Amino acid sequence: MTRNFDALVLGAGIIGVSVAVHLQARGRAVALIDRRTPGEETSHGNGGLIQREGVYPYAFPRSLGALLKYAGNRAPDVRYHASALPRVAPFLARYWGHSAPARHAAIARHYATLIEHSVTEHRTLARMAGVADMIRPSGWIKAFRLAATQDRELRVSEEWRRDYGVAYEAYDAAGLRAIEPHLSGLVGALRYTDADTVGDPGALVRAYAAYFEKLGGTLIKGDAMSLDPGWRVDTDVGPVQGSAAVVAMGPWAGDLGRRLGYRLPLAVKRGYHMHYAAQPGARLAHPVLDADNGFLLAPMARGIRVTTGAEFALRDAPRTPAQVAAVEPLAREIFPLGGPVDNEAWMGARPCTPDMMPIIGPAPSHSRLWFACGHAHHGLTLGPVTGRLIAEMITGAEPFVDPAPYAMTRF
């Protein structure tokens, strides 16, 4: 017997869970469907940053020096699989084009309208879910080994403050030691004070999912790839059908899109993390990005999470955690890490679009089909914002953000 719902949300990462919560809170009967439990895939492994300062999405490097650096495939922050280049080259070419300064600035003007709501929407959802204490209003730190890097980033942050209201504090080496006494080898830092952080991103997603169920929503294990027009999905409890369907499947959204006739321009940036103990007496109060090497140290419930930059590879290619091995000794230079807590590195895949903006909105060729994917490095940051925006569009409410820049039709 087929179970009927007002909406099926496919994918239980931070984006799908946020969409499901907002729809259920607006009186829709929602089934949230995933093959795994909420927050186990890409949403599990990020750095725990809710990036209010992230008005400029991460661009493709365009200087000759940077391109030569990365071409050698030994940089700590960016690696690639040579065997994947023929497949990903068209995406990279479009990404490079959109990263031109003028185009990047135009993208930021649209992107900022999402980013500016990221902290307030998370705090609202966490409060409603009864887990406000899982979000820390601590800000995060971008730290520098080189004075030239610090000067460049200070100029950029001042532009962000002038144009987008991004708040920050600047520290010299002594000032940084005052707020993070166990860091060393750094000439200074910026702290983005309006950003929030999360000590267990996967647990936050599960808490939002539990709130969805408390509201009356239904969480079901099933094969989202089985979606057929009508909108019907095969699940562990039998077939379910919805009046509307939302594809929030992260790096797998393109697979389902192709089945339905859409060629979403999605690629992935894979990333890795490992947890380490801190040496006795050492403490880290903020997530800290080593801006000169592109890795993050983040205090998490499990230990100090060391996250890597980007690996350009096919989504399902074998894991190659060489970046973890490359950045671990660099991390030990600035913070007294102890031994590893994990047996092996975790890997996830960030779903990316060539213009660095997510896809949020209706499918152009199907009625009552919606897409919410392609959030790249800012999935955790933009989850509740996207959830609210999709829910408002589906229910016919006035969107709190203009959704036009994120429409599928822009491709």
Side-chain angles (χ1 to χ4, degrees):
M1 179 178 177
T2 301
R3 298 178 64 181
N4 292 291
F5 295 88
D6 295 322
L8 309 180
V9 178
L10 310 178
I14 183 60
I15 304 298
V17 168
S18 297
V19 170
V21 168
H22 276 282
L23 281 171
Q24 190 72 34
R26 285 163 173 77
R28 298 314 196 254
V30 180
L32 176 60
I33 301 168
D34 201 313
R35 61 187 177 180
R36 303 184 68 176
T37 56
E40 284 194 1
E41 295 283 4
T42 310
S43 296
H44 167 77
N46 56 71
L49 306 181
I50 302 172
Q51 292 187 253
R52 169 61 184 87
E53 87 297 334
V55 291
Y56 273 80
Y58 293 97
F60 194 90
R62 292 179 59 92
S63 72
L64 179 59
L67 292 173
L68 290 174
K69 168 187 172 183
Y70 295 130
N73 209 19
R74 298 183 64 83
D77 51 340
V78 178
R79 299 288 175 96
Y80 61 89
H81 286 190
S83 60
L85 290 182
R87 292 270 300 275
V88 302
F91 172 88
L92 293 178
R94 296 176 68 183
Y95 184 15
W96 184 85
H98 284 293
S99 298
R103 298 182 78 175
H104 195 203
I107 287 166
R109 286 192 289 273
H110 294 307
Y111 201 66
T113 64
L114 297 176
I115 289 290
E116 68 178 333
H117 298 287
S118 58
V119 167
T120 54
E121 289 300 313
H122 256 293
R123 289 180 179 178
T124 298
L125 186 51
R127 185 175 64 252
M128 293 166 61
V131 292
D133 60 336
M134 294 184 71
I135 294 179
R136 305 177 300 212
S138 62
W140 68 277
I141 290 172
K142 184 182 289 185
F144 311 105
R145 298 176 188 236
L146 302 175
T149 308
Q150 182 178 26
D151 292 343
R152 182 184 69 242
E153 293 294 327
L154 183 59
R155 289 193 298 270
V156 169
S157 293
E158 185 55 36
E159 293 174 5
W160 293 354
R161 175 156 64 186
R162 180 193 67 217
D163 296 340
Y164 297 107
V166 170
Y168 71 89
E169 297 171 346
Y171 298 91
D172 60 13
L176 178 58
R177 281 194 300 273
I179 61 170
E180 288 287 0
H182 298 104
L183 292 177
S184 60
L186 300 164
V187 299
L190 300 174
R191 184 169 77 95
Y192 295 109
T193 55
D194 285 347
D196 283 354
T197 64
V198 181
D200 191 335
L204 181 67
V205 176
R206 291 191 293 276
Y208 288 170
Y211 177 57
F212 162 71
E213 291 186 286
K214 183 178 178 180
L215 290 172
T218 304
L219 182 62
I220 305 174
K221 285 194 174 182
D223 180 12
M225 285 297 298
S226 68
L227 179 72
D228 285 323
W231 299 106
R232 182 184 179 281
V233 172
D234 296 325
T235 76
D236 289 1
V237 297
V240 298
Q241 190 162 355
S243 301
V246 182
V247 180
M249 296 167 60
W252 296 275
D255 296 352
L256 181 53
R258 280 190 294 274
R259 280 193 59 245
L260 299 172
Y262 300 100
R263 294 184 63 84
L264 303 181
L266 289 175
V268 300
K269 296 180 188 178
R270 304 201 311 183
Y272 299 83
H273 79 231
M274 282 277 287
H275 291 98
Y276 299 82
Q279 289 186 16
R283 180 177 177 270
L284 191 66
H286 305 79
V288 176
L289 175 72
D290 181 334
D292 292 288
N293 291 296
F295 67 86
L296 183 79
L297 295 168
M300 294 281 175
R302 187 169 170 80
I304 304 298
R305 179 176 289 183
V306 179
T307 73
T308 67
E311 179 185 68
F312 289 95
L314 301 183
R315 183 193 64 205
D316 300 325
R319 297 154 48 94
T320 52
Q323 281 175 292
V324 175
V327 303
E328 181 185 334
L330 297 173
R332 292 185 182 281
E333 290 175 0
I334 63 171
F335 183 79
L337 292 175
V341 175
D342 303 326
N343 293 324
E344 61 179 357
W346 176 92
M347 187 197 79
R350 309 174 184 97
C352 304
T353 65
D355 67 359
M356 296 161 275
M357 293 198 299
I359 298 168
I360 305 172
S365 301
H366 290 84
S367 176
R368 308 294 291 169
L369 177 66
W370 306 75
F371 281 83
C373 56
H375 291 73
H377 296 263
H378 287 150
L380 178 66
T381 293
L382 293 177
V385 174
T386 300
R388 178 177 169 182
L389 183 56
I390 283 280
E392 287 173 343
M393 286 191 285
I394 289 176
T395 60
E398 180 70 23
F400 79 122
V401 170
D402 178 11
Y406 322 110
M408 288 178 66
T409 51
R410 73 183 191 270
F411 300 115

